[in-house]
Amino acid sequence: MKMALRNIAAYKKRTIVTVLLTSLTTALLVFASAWMDGSHQTMIKNAVEIYPGYLQITGKEFRDKPSYEHLIFDSTAIREKLADMEGIALLAARFESFVLYSADEKAVGGMLTGIEPEKEAGLSRLSASLQSGEYLSAEDTNQVYIGNELAKRLKVGIGDEIAFVGNGADYSFAADNLIVKGIFQTGLYEFDTSTAFLNLAYFEKIMAATNYATHFIVMPEHPEEVQALAAEIGTALGKEYAAESWRQIMAQLLKAMQMDSIFGYITLGIFFIVIFFVITIYTLLTVYSRIREIGVLRAIGTTPKQILGMLMLESALLAVVSVVLGGLLGGVVAYYFHLNPIPMSGFEEQFKQYGLAVSAIPTAFQPLAILRDMLVMFVLSVLSTLYPILKINRYRPVEAMRHV
């Protein structure tokens, strides 16, 4: 140990260059991992929480055949069965129906959805997306909460009247006049162009849908355990219903995230290979400059095994110092951008193609992930010095001492 420390202090230039190279590499790896994890977490959270929700319950065939034939025909039974289930933070019903809106001479097709306003505020970002007017309440009757782009198409504002026609749940003719109570803007053009919401209690009356629902939304107490909760709910409700997490509901988004992860890991893999060879070449050069010193050590009786141990110990000590410095630097940068998300104003339109309304992305500050990256860089750094050390250790004492 003393000799290894003495050598580290004696070769200051080599020590400084090695520490700088490995530290910066570690910091870049920590930040790259935090950025990739943070962007994926943000996109998923954003896409799920705007409207779809973490978990949906539907009739068994509703997902493949979304018609009135496959509705949930007993909402009360669903509520009673799931009332005491652990892991459910919030449960609310929705009823979606396509209708034709009209105001003066304007007519636009879109979705009219009955929601439970107070519960919906905890399940999605509808209430938080309020642009003008007021959000719905449980006492509302013909008050409608409408997307800002739909309001523009119909040329209506707060307090104006719009009419709609559609089919009730029993296929009867349904129509009513609605007063615009609030206008929302989620940032998703298609959604804001085609959707409006009513208090579910009033919706059920005018659409002949009492105790019916197209689906239920479930907010898990622990969103990361949603898959297990979906399976538990599916078992509790039986084969008549389907409980699916956002992973099934938003399969296209999940696939896009997986593809992005694959390309991210390929990029990091190439990055690792380049760094591995850079450190190997640099170590090879620095170790070759010490051939004469090693030849002397061999001549006075030091065994190849002892020399190998000394050089590996030097390498390990430098690697420890480097990855700790790099981990701290990368961690600080990741933590800063975790608190101050990176603006992504230039990519908003691309995000919207995947149903995302993202204007800034924070990095993911995860201490365990930082420790993982530091460990990877430590192993990589030590391995990259192994070949040069083994190669030089094969020289015979006389042969090694001839080097200048």
Side-chain angles (χ1 to χ4, degrees), residues 32 41 51 86 133 143 156 166 170-171 183 186 191 193 205-206 236 250 270 288 344 378 380:
Q41 291 172 9
Y51 182 68
E86 294 183 359
Q143 308 288 299
V156 295
D170 58 355
Y171 296 101
I183 296 176
T186 64
F191 188 75
T193 301
K205 291 178 183 176
I206 61 174
M250 308 180 75
I270 295 172
Y288 260 89
M344 300 297 294
F378 174 79
L380 192 66

Side-chain angles (χ1 to χ4, degrees), residues 10-133:
Y11 296 93
K12 289 186 176 62
K13 185 178 178 183
R14 183 199 61 143
T15 300
I16 291 171
V17 172
T18 302
V19 169
L20 280 177
L21 186 63
T22 311
S23 297
L24 289 175
T25 305
T26 306
L28 285 173
L29 174 61
V30 169
F31 179 75
S33 296
W35 166 252
M36 192 163 66
D37 292 343
S39 61
H40 290 172
Q41 291 172 9
T42 300
M43 290 179 187
I44 289 170
K45 184 179 175 66
N46 185 284
V48 168
E49 292 184 355
I50 279 185
Y51 182 68
Y54 284 94
L55 198 160
Q56 291 188 9
I57 300 169
T58 63
K60 183 67 177 177
E61 298 183 54
F62 185 80
R63 190 71 61 193
D64 297 326
K65 301 173 184 176
S67 70
Y68 286 169
E69 300 295 327
H70 304 104
L71 295 172
I72 293 173
F73 294 106
D74 192 352
S75 296
T76 303
I78 299 284
R79 296 179 198 278
E80 290 175 350
K81 286 183 179 179
L82 302 181
D84 300 322
M85 180 173 284
E86 294 183 359
I88 295 178
L90 208 52
L91 172 75
R94 289 177 184 166
F95 196 115
E96 296 178 341
S97 180
F98 287 100
V99 300
L100 181 66
Y101 297 105
S102 67
D104 294 330
E105 297 179 353
K106 298 288 182 181
V108 178
M111 182 83 77
L112 181 62
T113 303
I115 57 173
E116 299 176 74
E118 293 178 356
K119 291 182 178 178
E120 191 68 40
L123 288 169
S124 69
R125 296 184 185 173
L126 285 179
S127 65
S129 301
L130 177 68
Q131 185 183 53
S132 60

Side-chain angles (χ1 to χ4, degrees), residues 325-346:
L325 290 175
L328 288 173
L329 178 61
V332 168
V333 176
Y335 185 67
Y336 175 81
F337 286 110
H338 177 71
L339 299 178
N340 304 280
I342 300 171
M344 300 297 294
S345 55

